[in-house]
């Protein structure tokens, strides 16, 4: 057992030597279902004015911050208390863009497209299709689920948010008789996530990824510390929180930024710059759960950023140095080299962009009294004769010579005459 304020029970599930770790102090978990508060909707004229003031020079400290701060439209619509599903969709779309484009199949992807290459100025992170249903909250719970099943299988624009809801329903988490049938607990979301990753990509928890989580209805500080620690480490955290003065305020969202010890999150409420970068303590004063997803594989490029202008249409990964996704960076093509032929090699930047270059023979190694090997960083090489200059040993320039490239030294034979490159030449 672990004592953090109140008693927290710890259990560890091991699968093939990789841990799924959680802290629980209450079996009756809090259900998160809060809709966007109508009384706090933004004034559209103000929002437009704010957006027009964004300049191309804005930068962020990390892609994590840039992504969630600019994720306002390409997400599921929180209807019938589906905030937990919206948050799962946001979490998956982040990793689909940041880590591996197959985490979300292409048919669900909603790319970020504009005419310029500065993603910060366009304020539109890639994600998933919004599946808003006009007056959806007024539908019966059965009718709403039917609509989600239709949208999950739409041929042109299938909804990942709807797909997750149908997975939740298949696991028995859809509450037909509840006011908010899509409300979920952290344990629900964890099981939905595992079912999705297994179905879509064949991933196994404990092998391909892990989930760390904490659940505590009595120790908000322990949950908050867990969130802050993982945000510091660069992870988005799926949070469950509420306001102790309003029992109907329980909500699931993504925390991703820490500033002056204050946590900021994306609330999962669409069409809102205000709620995509929101100081959590403005509305919530108690944390009851948090979940962190960690994949066990490396980055591969995606095509989620699109620049379409008079020069044509080009797609980019977030890490490309040819676009700005959080701050301007520059290629340094010295990460890795790959020989092509006797004249050229491919030089790679750490972002995996590449260019073809002529060999740069800058390394020399003596092979014999007459020859040395001239090498490129890509391991291409050629054999050349030494180029000699006089070499001074004990004040005698007539007895020894040294190669000006590989620095090989040898003694001249009696009467031997060889071409010498003089130091003053």
């Amino acid at each position: 057992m672990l004592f953090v304020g109140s008693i927290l029970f710890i259990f560890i599930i091991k699968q093939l030597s990789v841990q799924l770790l959680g802290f629980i102090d209450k079996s009756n978990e809090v259900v998160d279902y809060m809709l966007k508060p109508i009384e706090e909707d933004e004034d559209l004229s103000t929002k437009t004015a704010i957006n027009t003031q964004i300049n191309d020079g804005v930068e962020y400290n990390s892609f994590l911050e840039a992504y969630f701060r600019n994720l306002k439209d390409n997400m599921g619509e929180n209807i019938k208390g589906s905030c937990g599903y919206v948050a799962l969709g946001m979490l998956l779309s982040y990793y689909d863009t940041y880590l591996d484009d197959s985490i979300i199949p292409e048919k669900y992807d909603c790319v970020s497209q504009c005419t310029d290459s500065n993603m910060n100025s366009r304020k539109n992170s890639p994600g998933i299709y919004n599946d808003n249903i006009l007056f959806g909250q007024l539908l019966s719970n059965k009718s709403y689920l039917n609509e989600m099943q239709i949208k999950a299988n739409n041929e042109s624009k299938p909804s990942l948010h709807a797909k997750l809801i149908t997975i939740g329903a298949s696991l028995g988490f859809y509450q037909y008789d509840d006011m908010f049938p899509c409300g979920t607990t952290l344990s629900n979301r964890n099981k939905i996530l595992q079912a999705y990753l297994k179905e879509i990509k064949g991933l196994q928890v404990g092998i391909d990824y892990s989930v760390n989580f904490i659940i505590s209805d009595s120790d908000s500080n322990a949950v908050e510390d867990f969130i802050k620690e993982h945000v510091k480490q660069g992870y988005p955290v799926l949070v469950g929180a509420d306001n102790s003065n309003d029992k109907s305020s329980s909500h699931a969202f993504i925390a991703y930024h820490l500033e002056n010890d204050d946590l900021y999150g994306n609330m999962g409420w669409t069409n809102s710059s205000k709620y995509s970068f929101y100081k959590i303590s403005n509305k919530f004063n108690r944390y009851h759960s948090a979940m962190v997803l960690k994949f066990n594989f490396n980055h591969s490029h995606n095509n989620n950023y699109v620049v379409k202008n008079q020069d044509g249409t080009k797609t980019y990964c977030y890490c490309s140095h040819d676009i700005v996704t959080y701050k301007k960076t520059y290629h340094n093509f010295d990460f890795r080299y790959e020989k092509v032929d006797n004249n050229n090699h491919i030089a790679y930047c750490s972002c995996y962009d590449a260019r073809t270059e002529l060999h740069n023979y800058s390394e020399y190694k003596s092979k014999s009294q007459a020859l040395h090997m001239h090498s490129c960083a890509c391991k291409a090489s050629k054999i050349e004769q030494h180029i000699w200059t006089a070499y001074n040993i004990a004040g005698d320039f007539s007895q020894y010579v040294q190669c000006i490239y590989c620095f090989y030294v040898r003694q001249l034979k009696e009467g031997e005459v060889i071409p010498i490159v003089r130091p003053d030449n």
Side-chain angles (χ1 to χ4, degrees):
M1 288 190 294
L2 177 68
F3 292 86
V4 184
S6 62
I7 298 178
L8 299 176
F9 296 95
I10 178 172
F11 68 87
I12 302 177
I13 301 173
K14 292 186 177 180
Q15 294 190 12
L16 299 181
S17 77
V18 182
Q19 293 180 340
L20 172 63
L21 181 62
F23 304 85
I24 298 182
D25 77 340
K26 186 175 180 181
S27 59
N28 184 22
E29 294 181 63
V30 177
V31 178
D32 299 306
Y33 54 82
M34 185 178 179
L35 304 178
K36 183 177 180 180
I38 297 175
E39 71 276 7
E40 293 192 29
D41 278 352
E42 290 180 293
D43 179 76
L44 293 180
S45 62
T46 302
K47 187 178 75 169
T48 302
I50 292 173
N51 284 345
T52 58
Q53 293 172 9
I54 298 295
N55 64 67
D56 289 352
V58 64
E59 292 188 348
Y60 302 99
N61 291 323
S62 68
F63 178 69
L64 176 67
E65 180 187 355
Y67 180 84
F68 282 105
R69 193 161 182 169
N70 294 323
L71 182 62
K72 305 186 299 295
D73 303 304
N74 298 328
M75 64 177 77
E77 192 70 26
N78 182 3
I79 298 175
K80 298 285 187 179
S82 68
C83 57
Y85 293 100
V86 173
L88 277 175
M90 290 194 292
L91 187 66
L92 290 166
S93 68
Y94 168 75
Y95 280 112
D96 185 75
T97 297
Y98 174 72
L99 185 64
D100 189 308
D101 201 19
S102 66
I103 289 172
I104 295 178
E106 290 292 299
K107 64 181 180 179
Y108 296 115
D109 274 353
C110 187
V111 300
S112 174
Q113 180 172 300
C114 198
T115 58
D116 65 284
S117 60
N118 190 315
M119 308 302 123
N120 297 337
S121 63
R122 67 170 65 171
K123 313 298 290 181
N124 179 31
S125 291
I128 60 177
Y129 293 111
N130 179 266
D131 53 5
N132 190 16
I133 299 174
L134 188 63
F135 304 120
Q137 193 63 43
L138 301 180
L139 293 176
S140 70
N141 290 347
K142 183 177 180 180
S143 296
Y144 180 74
L145 182 58
N146 288 338
E147 286 292 328
M148 291 295 96
Q149 291 168 336
I150 292 171
K151 286 183 175 291
N153 296 292
N154 184 284
E155 291 186 3
S156 60
K157 291 184 177 181
S159 162
L160 179 65
H161 175 245
K163 173 66 176 178
L164 294 171
I165 290 175
T166 62
I167 291 175
S170 71
L171 295 173
F173 301 146
Y174 192 81
Q175 303 299 315
Y176 287 90
D177 298 326
D178 197 282
M179 181 179 295
F180 301 106
C182 292
T184 55
T185 66
L186 182 145
S187 293
N188 295 155
R189 296 189 286 270
N190 185 23
K191 292 175 182 177
I192 293 164
L193 175 66
Q194 291 184 41
Y196 165 82
L197 291 174
K198 184 175 182 180
E199 176 185 340
I200 296 297
K201 197 170 167 58
L203 300 182
Q204 297 288 333
V205 64
I207 300 175
D208 305 297
Y209 67 96
S210 62
V211 181
N212 286 15
F213 60 87
I214 181 171
I215 304 171
S216 176
D217 192 36
S218 60
D219 197 337
S220 174
N221 290 334
V223 180
E224 184 176 4
D225 289 344
F226 176 94
I227 298 167
K228 288 180 177 179
E229 181 59 30
H230 284 88
V231 169
K232 287 178 183 177
Q233 294 174 20
Y235 292 101
V237 183
L238 202 167
V239 174
D242 58 35
N243 190 304
S244 58
N245 298 316
D246 180 5
K247 287 294 185 180
S248 65
S249 66
S250 190
H251 185 48
F253 54 89
I254 300 294
Y256 64 89
H257 183 68
L258 187 62
E259 189 172 306
N260 298 324
D261 207 41
D262 291 316
L263 282 165
Y264 289 77
N266 187 314
M267 296 294 106
W269 293 322
T270 54
N271 303 312
S272 173
S273 297
K274 172 182 179 180
Y275 288 123
S276 66
F277 184 67
Y278 191 73
K279 187 175 179 180
I280 297 170
S281 60
N282 284 350
K283 183 173 291 294
F284 306 101
N285 62 10
R286 185 170 59 184
Y287 298 96
H288 53 255
S289 69
M291 182 172 79
V292 178
L293 173 61
K294 299 180 181 180
F295 287 99
N296 299 328
F297 45 83
N298 296 324
H299 169 81
S300 62
H301 291 319
N302 64 61
N303 58 358
N304 290 348
Y305 288 98
V306 180
V307 176
K308 188 174 183 179
N309 52 34
Q310 66 273 11
D311 297 323
T313 301
K314 294 182 179 180
T315 62
Y316 299 92
C317 179
Y318 97 92
C319 68
S320 173
H321 292 193
D322 296 326
I323 61 174
V324 180
T325 51
Y326 64 103
K327 63 181 178 180
K328 183 63 178 174
T329 55
Y330 300 91
H331 291 297
N332 190 9
F333 292 101
D334 61 359
F335 180 68
R336 183 170 65 85
Y337 300 91
E338 181 180 312
K339 181 181 176 181
V340 176
D341 52 36
N342 290 333
N343 298 313
N344 303 288
H345 62 235
I346 299 174
Y348 290 88
C349 177
S350 59
C351 74
Y352 298 101
D353 274 1
R355 69 183 181 188
T356 300
E357 301 176 332
L358 293 172
H359 291 312
N360 178 20
Y361 291 104
S362 57
E363 299 178 13
Y364 296 85
K365 183 178 181 180
S366 174
K367 301 294 289 183
S368 69
Q369 286 191 356
L371 304 170
H372 59 234
M373 184 171 68
H374 196 177
S375 301
C376 177
C378 72
K379 307 304 180 184
S381 63
K382 57 185 178 180
I383 302 298
E384 300 173 328
Q385 292 185 336
H386 294 305
I387 306 297
W388 302 107
T389 188
Y391 186 71
N392 178 13
I393 293 183
D396 187 353
F397 282 96
S398 63
Q399 298 276 333
Y400 297 90
V401 290
Q402 181 182 51
C403 177
I404 64 175
Y405 293 112
C406 72
F407 305 113
Y408 176 78
V409 176
R410 76 173 179 88
Q411 186 176 15
L412 293 174
K413 298 176 182 178
E414 185 175 352
E416 183 180 10
V417 177
I418 64 172
I420 293 292
V421 177
R422 298 295 179 185
D424 57 349
N425 283 353

